[in-house]
Amino acid sequence: MRVADRWQDFEILDTSSGEKLERWGDVILARPDPQVIWHTPRGSLWQQAAAHYRRSSSGGGHWENRTLKQKEWQIGYHGLRFSIRPTGFKHTGLFPEQAVNWDWMAARVAAAGRPVSVLNLFAYTGGATLALAQAGAQVCHVDASKGMVQWARENARLSGLEERPIRWIVDDCRKFVEREIRRGRHYDGIVMDPPSYGRGPTGEVWKLEDQIYDLIELTARLLAPDALFFLLNSYTTGLSPSVMEYILAVVIRRRLGGQVSSSEIGLPVSETGLVLPCGSTAIWQGEQNAAGGEEA
């Protein structure tokens, strides 16, 4: 497992009975986590949660506010700044475990020794976009949610990266990819973090396991012949790292060579010294990059 262990402003304090206790800066929150199937004892620290997200038996849920006074605050990660806002669907606007992927991609960009363009699909609030831009890449940031793209632009401003070459696109990712193919565009890197479930622009149901192969096959057509990487992330429990690695191998490695790898990613838990699994990542690396760079 690859672990995002370089955080100072974020920490998983403890996990128990379907929930995790997290420190976001100086704010402690308790949130559900389906991976936490153990029932370890809860210490007094759990009582310090400023807000607690409660699931509803009818679906969804709400934040139970105990002592949380601000609706929004900031945390940092090695020169990047992010606005944190507890939302009605339990998220806070950031997936801290992804920092291990930000660092890996940023290192590949910095080591390339040439201009690098990266396409970030399902780009959310811009964690990967900002890490790539900070490392010197030109980034095309695509998400279907106008609100999330605006949030990402705010994070870019907070990070002092608003003048970097970032294209901010509000669009359906598949339709955008199809247009880029018609335009003859190519990218040196692609990062893709699609949702497990969702609905398309005309109400069609999106289920990752059913759609991912076709989407990767389509998107891979945008890779330049000397591309550096294609990084695929998933939170879908039914899609194992090995399955994602297999797809990248048959779609990309067969055509461009290089290497593929996969792993779980996770975050350290302070109370136990163990690691909480937080998703899976599969990576294709181009020949030159794989030969000289650290493996995922």
Side-chain angles (χ1 to χ4, degrees):
M1 184 183 296
R2 297 163 57 234
V3 182
D5 56 5
R6 298 180 64 225
W7 280 98
Q8 295 182 349
D9 282 2
F10 172 84
E11 178 183 8
I12 296 184
L13 301 168
D14 197 10
T15 61
S16 179
S17 303
E19 294 183 319
K20 54 189 175 183
L21 188 70
E22 304 166 302
R23 178 181 62 82
W24 298 83
D26 59 0
V27 177
I28 296 178
L29 301 176
R31 296 192 294 159
D33 191 312
Q35 299 275 35
V36 182
I37 62 174
W38 44 89
H39 303 283
T40 49
R42 296 191 178 195
S44 59
L45 193 59
W46 285 82
Q47 301 305 313
Q48 297 182 27
H52 192 152
Y53 190 87
R54 301 289 190 181
R55 289 283 193 195
S56 169
S57 58
S58 59
H62 70 282
W63 286 96
E64 177 184 278
N65 192 330
R66 296 176 176 175
T67 60
L68 185 61
K69 297 178 181 178
Q70 64 265 57
K71 294 183 178 180
E72 178 180 349
W73 65 97
Q74 297 175 21
I75 66 171
Y77 182 80
H78 299 277
L80 302 177
R81 301 291 298 175
F82 302 99
S83 175
I84 302 302
R85 309 171 198 166
T87 68
F89 44 97
K90 95 169 181 176
H91 293 167
T92 62
L94 194 67
F95 292 94
E97 63 274 10
Q98 287 299 322
V100 72
N101 286 330
W102 307 341
D103 292 344
W104 186 89
M105 290 187 291
R108 305 285 81 72
V109 169
R114 59 180 173 88
V116 174
S117 61
V118 181
L119 174 62
N120 186 9
L121 297 172
F122 309 96
Y124 196 48
T125 60
T129 293
L130 301 189
L132 288 160
Q134 184 187 55
Q138 299 179 18
V139 187
C140 182
H141 175 110
V142 186
D143 197 281
S145 168
K146 182 178 180 180
M148 290 303 167
V149 173
Q150 184 57 43
W151 196 336
R153 297 188 72 152
E154 173 65 10
N155 286 335
R157 185 190 65 79
L158 294 173
S159 300
L161 298 171
E162 66 269 38
E163 299 301 323
R164 294 295 178 96
I166 303 173
R167 294 170 64 203
W168 303 102
I169 307 294
V170 179
D171 202 353
D172 175 83
C173 288
R174 184 182 183 94
K175 290 184 177 180
F176 179 79
V177 167
E178 290 171 343
R179 284 198 297 275
E180 290 289 87
I181 291 170
R182 291 196 294 270
R183 293 171 184 138
R185 288 258 174 86
H186 290 95
Y187 293 88
D188 301 300
I190 295 174
V191 52
M192 182 187 294
D193 194 355
S196 298
Y197 297 96
R199 291 191 177 274
T202 59
E204 66 272 20
V205 174
W206 159 276
K207 187 176 180 182
L208 184 59
E209 297 96 318
D210 297 338
Q211 307 285 341
I212 192 62
Y213 179 83
D214 289 344
L215 182 59
I216 291 173
E217 193 173 42
L218 181 72
T219 306
R221 293 167 61 184
L222 293 175
L223 285 170
D226 58 347
L228 300 176
F229 62 83
F230 189 114
L231 186 146
L232 171 66
N233 194 74
S234 171
Y235 292 96
T236 303
T237 55
L239 193 64
S240 72
S242 297
V243 168
M244 296 194 300
E245 179 180 337
Y246 193 100
I247 294 173
L248 296 189
V250 297
V251 172
I252 304 176
R253 190 178 64 187
R254 280 184 175 178
R255 179 166 61 90
L256 297 179
Q259 298 178 1
V260 291
S261 60
S262 63
S263 65
E264 288 185 289
I265 58 175
L267 287 161
V269 179
S270 298
E271 177 65 21
T272 62
L274 302 173
V275 175
L276 177 68
C278 299
S280 301
T281 299
I283 297 173
W284 169 84
Q285 299 181 69
E287 290 283 5
Q288 293 180 343
N289 186 46
E294 173 189 347
E295 289 190 15

